Amino acid sequence: MTTKLNTPEHLFQSIHDDLGSLRQNLCNVIVGQETLIDELITAVFAGGHVLLEGLPGLGKTHLVKALAASIALPLGRIQCTPDLMPADITGSEILVRDEDGQHRLDFRPGPVFSALVLVDEINRATPKTQAALLEAMQEQQVTYAGKRYPLPTPFRVFATQNPIELEGTYPLPEAQLDRFMFKVKVGYPDADAMLSMLEVSLDDEPADHLPATLGTERIDEILQQARQVMIAVPIKQAAVTLILATHPDRQESASAAKSHIRYGASPRGLQALLRAARACALLHGRAQVAFDDLHSVALPALRHRILLKMESEMDGVEVDETLSRVIEQCLPKH
Amino acid sequence: MHKQHALHTLVGSVRNRLWLQETSRLLYLGIWGATAALLLFGLLHFLVQALSPKLFIAIALIPPVVTTAVSLLLRRPSAATAALAADRWFDSKQLITSAWELQEAGRSASGSGAMLVTQRAETCAARLQPGVHAVHPVTMPHSPHLPIALGLIGLFLLLMPGAQSNDDRQQANKGIQPQADSGLPDTRVAALEYRRDSSILSEESRQSAQGNAGSDVDHVSQDRAPARETRPGAVTQAVEHKGAARQNMSADEARPSPAAAGADASRAGPATSPDSEYAFSKGGRTPGGEPAHRRPGTDREDLPDMNFQLQPVLRAAANREAPAASGDTGIELSPNNKPAVDKPAPALSMQPAERVSVPYRAGFTPALRQYVSRYFSETETQP
């Protein structure tokens, strides 16, 4: 059994099976959101943070809780409000008395010190509080009183926001948005999915007793194998072309980008794109990235990294529509 | 070992196939180029100017030859391109490309992902190799039937007899311009004119011989003849020189009474031939005992212009040279129907150029002179 698992074929096959089990586990809880679940798993195993955007009641929080239960990782939750302070997220020093009766300041980690962090309604927090997440998300550490506190590994932030309710909110700055690998949109399930959801979660919260399919060690193995996935040069070239095509002032820019985009995607977006493509390939049991993977991850990886022109926004032009045209124009079909 | 070569074999096969496809694509364009050239040359050859078929067929073949050569020499796809094409053809999700890249870079497949890619690619290549030729045959982008058919039409036009160019036409026109020293066969022209006008002259001589004897019927015949010219259907027979001469010689014996001659002339129908017309106009005398004969091609209906043009010429000629011209019968006629002893020798013993006077030759246009030249050259060459 051990010999079999050591061969690359069986190693990747077992990973594919495990990820398939995780996907099925989540699909049993969150009905009718297969694409959303795929994107979430991809982001998790690509090492990125996810911004979930959707109306209330669509199961964003429920999905994150189900994921945490499925992969058996601790989940910290932060409910953002305008009066939330950075220390409420990162933690703070409190005065404690030790066994000798001496008083001293001891650092008490905040909810950010979890493998999975659910930041609910992140756009309700003040910019100062939002900025407290920057260091945690990018450098996976927290600095408090001049002292650095590393965050656990893996560390993933799942933030949710309501796209409609804008009063009393603080839209995330571009620097903050760029830290998220994916911005996934949670849509309405169809009628069949809603009927199935009633069967599952009418009287119960299935995420509370969801069996774990992956352990911490297994997650580390999968994350390691995700780095072994081959990316051929034509794939890299296509990704670079796509990123440059989102810039309106570049020679390589697409026509849609010239018309509607004010700022294009950053190099961090290119990294996120290829890392996500690798995880997507792994999810599909492949050891090499295909153009299809780029197609799958391009939209969630880039939609929050481009800014539309003011007049385009006034005209009601959607980011997804513009980006889809750029993707269709730049990426090969196969 | 076999599997390790499978990827190379597959990529090589796809590369060759791509190369052939590119060649066929460019050849298709070249065929269209050749077709366009053949059509152009064919139309030029057929309508404007005669072209050398061999040369222009060779020129028309340049586009397909050049495109094929360019494809064969310069457009060979790279192995990486072939690997990408193989992935596209077999929907192998860039497995061939990734494995080919690993092998080309010379990297040892140390990582599990690289090892797996190599293994899967070799297995996949061995499985896909037989389908390369079957699934992706080398075909042209479109059916070449249309350009080939058009090219054949152009080739047909090019092989047909070409049109005369403007230069050729000008050269031909120059060739038939009357020139003083052009060396035209004057003697032959004169001979032909002599043949043509001999009957006129015989009629003229006959008329002059008759002028004295039958002057009483002149008015009758002169009055009748123009009226009968409009009567159709009168076909006369050609007058032979001998017959005319004989008639002139025995004009006194064979000629009936003037009344009968007038009746014969009126029975013979209209004097539509220039000869008879001239005979009527010349003093109103009809030929003695014979009706006014006509030669084919000299009817007024056939040559309406010639009648009006020839009359004054013949009148002038008859006025000036009637005695000399009548000598072609061999017997010089005189007003009293006696041979003129002091006149030159009979015209039949003379060369045609000597016998034909200048005013008769005035009826030949340069084109006619050219035709005469051709006529003699053709008759001389025929056995």
Side-chain angles (χ1 to χ4, degrees), chain B residues 182-355:
Chain B
S182 62
L184 282 175
D186 289 336
T187 56
R188 294 171 178 172
V189 172
L192 192 65
E193 287 191 351
Y194 169 71
R195 287 181 191 175
R196 196 190 66 163
D197 296 332
S198 58
S199 59
I200 304 172
L201 297 176
S202 64
E203 292 293 334
E204 183 187 0
S205 60
R206 197 185 318 146
Q207 185 184 4
S208 61
Q210 226 175 15
N212 297 325
S215 59
D216 51 343
V217 295
D218 285 349
H219 299 287
V220 178
S221 60
Q222 194 174 8
D223 293 337
R224 285 178 182 170
R228 285 166 187 160
E229 277 183 6
T230 57
R231 196 177 69 187
V235 179
T236 61
Q237 294 179 350
V239 176
E240 297 295 336
H241 290 296
K242 287 183 179 178
R246 195 184 312 123
Q247 203 171 23
N248 288 329
M249 287 172 64
S250 56
D252 293 334
E253 297 85 5
R255 187 172 58 216
S257 65
D264 289 340
S266 63
R267 198 185 316 126
T272 52
S273 71
D275 308 347
S276 56
E277 187 178 5
Y278 168 66
F280 283 120
S281 63
K282 179 69 177 177
R285 292 188 179 91
T286 57
E290 295 289 329
H293 296 292
R294 297 177 59 197
R295 288 182 294 140
T298 56
D299 291 345
R300 183 181 293 272
E301 292 83 358
D302 296 337
L303 296 170
D305 294 338
M306 198 170 176
N307 294 323
F308 295 102
Q309 291 172 359
L310 200 56
Q311 268 186 343
V313 173
L314 292 176
R315 283 194 195 106
N319 290 333
R320 281 201 309 273
E321 300 182 11
S326 64
D328 64 345
T329 60
I331 296 176
E332 184 71 22
L333 294 179
S334 62
N336 52 3
N337 281 339
K338 290 181 180 177
V341 201
D342 53 344
K343 294 294 180 182
L348 279 178
S349 62
M350 302 167 72
Q351 292 300 320
E354 298 169 6
R355 282 184 281 123

Side-chain angles (χ1 to χ4, degrees), chain B residues 28-370:
Chain B
Y28 182 75
L29 294 178
I31 287 175
W32 267 113
T35 297
L38 278 174
L39 277 177
L40 178 66
F41 294 153
L43 289 174
L44 279 176
H45 174 76
F46 191 67
L47 298 177
V48 180
Q49 182 179 11
L51 305 175
S52 169
K54 287 182 182 175
L55 174 65
F56 283 90
I57 287 172
I59 292 174
L61 288 178
I62 287 176
V65 171
V66 167
T67 53
T68 307
V70 164
S71 172
L72 290 177
L73 295 176
L74 304 175
R75 302 296 293 266
R76 189 179 188 203
S78 66
T81 306
L84 264 178
D87 281 325
R88 193 171 60 248
W89 287 1
F90 299 109
D91 197 19
S92 52
K93 306 287 183 189
Q94 280 64 54
L95 178 64
I96 307 292
T97 304
S98 302
W100 180 261
E101 206 170 280
L102 280 174
Q103 291 194 0
E104 283 298 295
R107 283 183 287 174
S108 57
S110 56
S112 58
M115 288 173 64
L116 182 60
V117 164
T118 305
Q119 287 176 8
R120 286 181 175 177
E122 294 290 350
T123 308
C124 180
R127 181 169 47 85
L128 296 176
Q129 173 62 38
V132 173
H133 298 274
V135 178
H136 295 279
V138 177
T139 56
M140 288 196 172
H142 303 285
S143 172
H145 294 154
L146 178 62
I148 287 177
L150 291 175
L152 287 178
I153 292 173
L155 186 63
F156 177 71
L157 291 176
L158 197 55
L159 292 177
M160 285 182 70
Q164 236 183 351
S165 68
N166 290 333
D167 294 341
D168 293 341
R169 288 195 200 102
Q170 288 174 0
Q171 192 66 29
N173 291 336
K174 279 181 186 174
I176 61 175
Q177 290 296 326
Q179 294 177 1
D181 53 349
S182 62
L184 282 175
D186 289 336
T187 56
R188 294 171 178 172
V189 172
L192 192 65
E193 287 191 351
Y194 169 71
R195 287 181 191 175
R196 196 190 66 163
D197 296 332
S198 58
S199 59
I200 304 172
L201 297 176
S202 64
E203 292 293 334
E204 183 187 0
S205 60
R206 197 185 318 146
Q207 185 184 4
S208 61
Q210 226 175 15
N212 297 325
S215 59
D216 51 343
V217 295
D218 285 349
H219 299 287
V220 178
S221 60
Q222 194 174 8
D223 293 337
R224 285 178 182 170
R228 285 166 187 160
E229 277 183 6
T230 57
R231 196 177 69 187
V235 179
T236 61
Q237 294 179 350
V239 176
E240 297 295 336
H241 290 296
K242 287 183 179 178
R246 195 184 312 123
Q247 203 171 23
N248 288 329
M249 287 172 64
S250 56
D252 293 334
E253 297 85 5
R255 187 172 58 216
S257 65
D264 289 340
S266 63
R267 198 185 316 126
T272 52
S273 71
D275 308 347
S276 56
E277 187 178 5
Y278 168 66
F280 283 120
S281 63
K282 179 69 177 177
R285 292 188 179 91
T286 57
E290 295 289 329
H293 296 292
R294 297 177 59 197
R295 288 182 294 140
T298 56
D299 291 345
R300 183 181 293 272
E301 292 83 358
D302 296 337
L303 296 170
D305 294 338
M306 198 170 176
N307 294 323
F308 295 102
Q309 291 172 359
L310 200 56
Q311 268 186 343
V313 173
L314 292 176
R315 283 194 195 106
N319 290 333
R320 281 201 309 273
E321 300 182 11
S326 64
D328 64 345
T329 60
I331 296 176
E332 184 71 22
L333 294 179
S334 62
N336 52 3
N337 281 339
K338 290 181 180 177
V341 201
D342 53 344
K343 294 294 180 182
L348 279 178
S349 62
M350 302 167 72
Q351 292 300 320
E354 298 169 6
R355 282 184 281 123
V356 177
S357 58
V358 174
Y360 289 114
R361 283 161 50 186
F364 282 87
T365 61
L368 280 175
R369 292 166 70 84
Q370 182 71 17

Side-chain angles (χ1 to χ4, degrees), chain B residues 22-35:
Chain B
E22 177 69 7
T23 303
S24 68
R25 188 184 70 84
L26 289 178
L27 180 62
Y28 182 75
L29 294 178
I31 287 175
W32 267 113
T35 297

